Amino acid sequence: MEIYLYLALFSPLLGSLVAGLFAQQKKTLFTGVFTSFMLLISMLSSLYLLYSVWNTGYSVSIKISDWINVGNLNLSFSFIADEISTVMIAVVTIVSTMVHIHSIGYMEDEKAFNRYFAYLSAFVFSMMILVLSDNFVGLFIGWEGVGLCSWLLIGFWYHKNSASWAANEAFIMNRVADLGMLIGIFLIYWNIGSLEYKVVFEDISLLDNNTVSLIAIFLFIGAMGKSAQFPFHTWLADAMEGPTPVSALIHAATMVTAGVYLLVRANEIYVLVPHIGYAIACLGAFVAVFSASMALVHNDMKKIIAYSTLSQLGYMFVAAGLGAYWVALFHLFTHAFFKSVLFLGAGNVMNAMHHELDIRKMGGLHNKMKKTSIIMIIASFALAGIFPLAGFFSKDKILESAFNADAIFLWTVLWITAGLTAFYSFRLVFKIFFGKANYDEKKLEVKESHNYVIAAMIPLVILAVGAGWLEHSFVEYTTTLLPAWEAKNISHSTAFILILVTSAIAVFGIFFAYLKYIKNMNIFNLSKDSFIIKVLQNQYYIPNLYQMFSNVYLKTSKFLWKVIDIKIIDALVDSVAHSALGTSKELALAHNGSLSTSLRIMTLGILFFIIIASIIYYLGFI
């Protein structure tokens, strides 16, 4: 069994190293095929591990070597495949394999083709380290590894200032949040003396409530950065500067869900501090509706899907915050498939439209890209939570968990967000694939993507349809480690009514989008210059606020550098140096070998000492 864990973990690393050997060479199809094959091996091994743990009930662990042995801290390079990590590695490797295959076609004209695959496989390896480690330090190494690889991939086209800026923004903002996570890890070690999950979770209940609360808060700060929760949210939409398959992998299915994974993995910490959990749920609900509102009016295809990801992450944090950890993991599981296929579909559209992103300049693409159109429509239905697709099952459970916890306000916010989600999802579909073509059809020849590119999307869209039907088995499997949350306070009839109400607002959102963008009915037809539209399109002016603080900091830094540092501190230090240099030059005259000069200096010295002695005598010290 251990061999499959080794294969799942290290196959992406081997692919990355081999692709890295050709990084500076001209494009060779071999790197794309080889890294995809390595990911296929990793995926099959991950699925076998999932199957084995599911059937035997025993986790698989390996210890590669000792690592840190300092004082009471004893850590090893060790990994574990249990009920939580096997679900995660299955998601990561399935999506990663399909993204690698899709990328062969998407990046076929890219000069840095080999370098791209080296980065992409390195990212997957880092994500596997994060998920499979059995201690917080290993998790943190994987955490930082995906941060580094995301910086490389977001800024892949580094010759573009916008791409470099977006990569730096993501990297720096995550480093700020990661400081909080690092403090949380230090607090764990300081109070427990170990960083192994097993030891920490056994002893965490022995700590006082205030200490546990601090640990929970600081760990969550790290999760906020990685999962782009407010106020660390701005980097995710800007990160769309990277290649679109990167967005499908990093910003839909893997890295941004690491924050949710952290909360699910550390659930035994958060169950002890439900007040912290409720605050997390409130933030998640806010982010859900906050991000959905921005997706309503944006015209950048990829950023609309990015805001949708932010919103769905908010749903996951609501579930985790309310203690429904398996529900949060279930929505992470289903969301990965339909959101990644939406990004890949957007990549197909971009290639066909010569990298156009503005949905207002599209339209009527259904007849020319039927396969991509059908796939994205199915994924949009799943995102909207329409029965019987995967999103319906997981999103319904999150709303049910909020209602069951008597968090009616949170339920209402999520219910409204469900309607907004359905609306903006089909606004995107209708503006791209239906209606009048808003581009020059004579100049732009729109073609469907390669068959193997479409084939790479098929497994994802199948899972987007059917993954929700695994709910019963998923609950049975994951609640071996996670709290077995159930809706105990509501009857079956009440649960059925909640499903109907939630489904109704989703259907209404789709119907409203149909009336507005297909039938062209002037319903709530706000001017593009209206205050509300401007606020939403400018992300509530939060990036402007951050930019203002950045400008103040920059100007303050320049003032301190030019005035305080150069004109005062440097000038003072330089004056001391110049004085010493000048004095040494004068004193050097005493050693020029001239007898007359030596006599003069001796005379002056004697005179100086006579004067000093006279002053001392006069003052009465002698």
Side-chain angles (χ1 to χ4, degrees), residues 525-535 537-538 541:
N525 191 25
L526 296 173
S527 168
K528 64 179 181 179
D529 296 323
S530 66
F531 175 74
I532 295 175
I533 298 297
K534 283 187 175 181
V535 168
Q537 287 183 338
N538 287 282
Y541 293 100

Side-chain angles (χ1 to χ4, degrees), residues 210-411:
N210 289 335
T211 301
V212 178
S213 296
L214 281 175
I215 291 171
I217 290 170
F218 281 115
L219 289 180
F220 179 62
I221 290 173
M224 288 167 64
K226 198 65 74 185
S227 294
Q229 296 296 284
F230 181 88
F232 299 106
H233 65 285
T234 56
W235 71 264
L236 184 60
D238 293 333
M240 296 302 105
E241 287 288 340
T244 304
V246 169
S247 301
L249 179 61
I250 296 179
H251 307 127
T254 55
M255 189 183 83
V256 293
T257 61
V260 179
Y261 168 76
L262 175 61
L263 263 65
V264 172
R265 174 59 77 181
N267 70 87
E268 296 189 50
I269 296 175
Y270 287 94
V271 294
L272 300 175
V273 282
H275 58 290
I276 301 297
Y278 186 75
I280 292 171
C282 290
L283 179 64
F286 166 74
V287 171
V289 69
F290 170 75
S291 304
S293 65
M294 292 186 286
L296 294 174
V297 300
H298 220 289
N299 296 309
D300 185 304
M301 176 173 55
K302 287 177 65 177
K303 288 189 176 182
I304 293 171
I305 305 174
Y307 289 131
S308 174
T309 300
L310 278 175
S311 184
Q312 297 306 305
L313 287 167
Y315 271 90
M316 297 175 206
F317 278 111
V318 170
L322 294 176
Y325 297 102
W326 76 260
V327 177
L329 189 61
F330 187 45
H331 194 51
L332 185 159
F333 175 72
T334 61
H335 171 265
F337 303 125
F338 56 75
K339 186 55 63 65
S340 59
V341 85
L342 278 173
F343 269 116
L344 294 180
N348 292 355
V349 173
M350 283 181 63
N351 266 351
M353 297 294 294
H354 292 190
H355 299 284
E356 179 60 64
L357 285 168
D358 193 334
I359 60 175
R360 295 171 297 182
K361 298 178 181 179
M362 299 179 188
L365 297 182
H366 175 74
N367 292 329
K368 298 179 180 181
M369 303 182 70
K370 281 189 177 180
K371 296 174 184 177
T372 298
S373 175
I374 292 170
I375 288 173
M376 289 189 70
I377 290 170
I378 294 172
S380 297
F381 273 120
L383 174 59
I386 300 300
F387 181 85
L389 281 71
F392 165 82
F393 295 92
S394 56
K395 190 180 290 186
D396 172 67
K397 281 297 175 185
I398 295 175
L399 285 156
E400 190 175 313
S401 65
F403 193 88
N404 186 67
D406 295 324
I408 304 302
F409 176 73
L410 297 184
W411 180 89

Side-chain angles (χ1 to χ4, degrees), residues 339-540:
K339 186 55 63 65
S340 59
V341 85
L342 278 173
F343 269 116
L344 294 180
N348 292 355
V349 173
M350 283 181 63
N351 266 351
M353 297 294 294
H354 292 190
H355 299 284
E356 179 60 64
L357 285 168
D358 193 334
I359 60 175
R360 295 171 297 182
K361 298 178 181 179
M362 299 179 188
L365 297 182
H366 175 74
N367 292 329
K368 298 179 180 181
M369 303 182 70
K370 281 189 177 180
K371 296 174 184 177
T372 298
S373 175
I374 292 170
I375 288 173
M376 289 189 70
I377 290 170
I378 294 172
S380 297
F381 273 120
L383 174 59
I386 300 300
F387 181 85
L389 281 71
F392 165 82
F393 295 92
S394 56
K395 190 180 290 186
D396 172 67
K397 281 297 175 185
I398 295 175
L399 285 156
E400 190 175 313
S401 65
F403 193 88
N404 186 67
D406 295 324
I408 304 302
F409 176 73
L410 297 184
W411 180 89
T412 304
V413 172
L414 296 181
W415 180 74
I416 294 170
T417 305
L420 299 180
T421 302
F423 176 81
Y424 69 66
S425 298
F426 279 85
R427 171 180 177 260
L428 181 71
V429 168
F430 294 148
K431 294 282 280 185
I432 294 173
F433 295 109
F434 299 96
K436 180 183 175 183
N438 295 312
Y439 62 93
D440 192 337
E441 297 184 74
K442 295 180 180 179
K443 293 183 179 179
L444 189 62
E445 184 181 359
V446 176
K447 293 181 180 180
E448 183 62 274
S449 297
H450 300 296
N451 287 332
Y452 67 86
V453 170
I454 299 296
M457 300 168 68
I458 297 300
L460 297 176
V461 79
I462 290 173
L463 288 167
V465 172
W469 292 94
L470 300 174
E471 178 187 336
H472 179 72
S473 299
F474 190 93
V475 175
E476 184 180 342
Y477 179 62
T478 56
T479 50
T480 305
L481 285 182
L482 299 174
W485 173 87
E486 294 180 0
K488 298 178 180 178
N489 299 334
I490 56 177
S491 64
H492 291 294
S493 59
T494 303
F496 183 70
I497 292 171
L498 289 175
I499 291 172
L500 287 179
V501 170
T502 305
S503 298
I505 196 169
V507 171
F508 176 77
I510 296 172
F511 182 65
F512 185 77
Y514 172 78
L515 294 178
K516 186 169 180 60
Y517 297 107
I518 299 298
K519 294 298 183 181
N520 295 314
M521 295 179 64
N522 292 325
I523 307 172
F524 299 115
N525 191 25
L526 296 173
S527 168
K528 64 179 181 179
D529 296 323
S530 66
F531 175 74
I532 295 175
I533 298 297
K534 283 187 175 181
V535 168
L536 295 178
Q537 287 183 338
N538 287 282
Q539 304 178 56
Y540 293 89

Side-chain angles (χ1 to χ4, degrees), residues 549-581:
F549 284 127
S550 298
N551 290 338
V552 171
Y553 178 79
L554 181 61
K555 290 180 179 179
T556 303
S557 300
K558 286 184 176 180
F559 171 79
L560 293 174
W561 166 49
K562 292 183 177 180
V563 177
I564 305 298
D565 192 29
I566 294 178
K567 293 186 177 180
I568 297 178
I569 297 176
D570 281 2
L572 180 62
V573 173
D574 289 345
S575 65
V576 173
H578 289 314
S579 298
L581 179 63

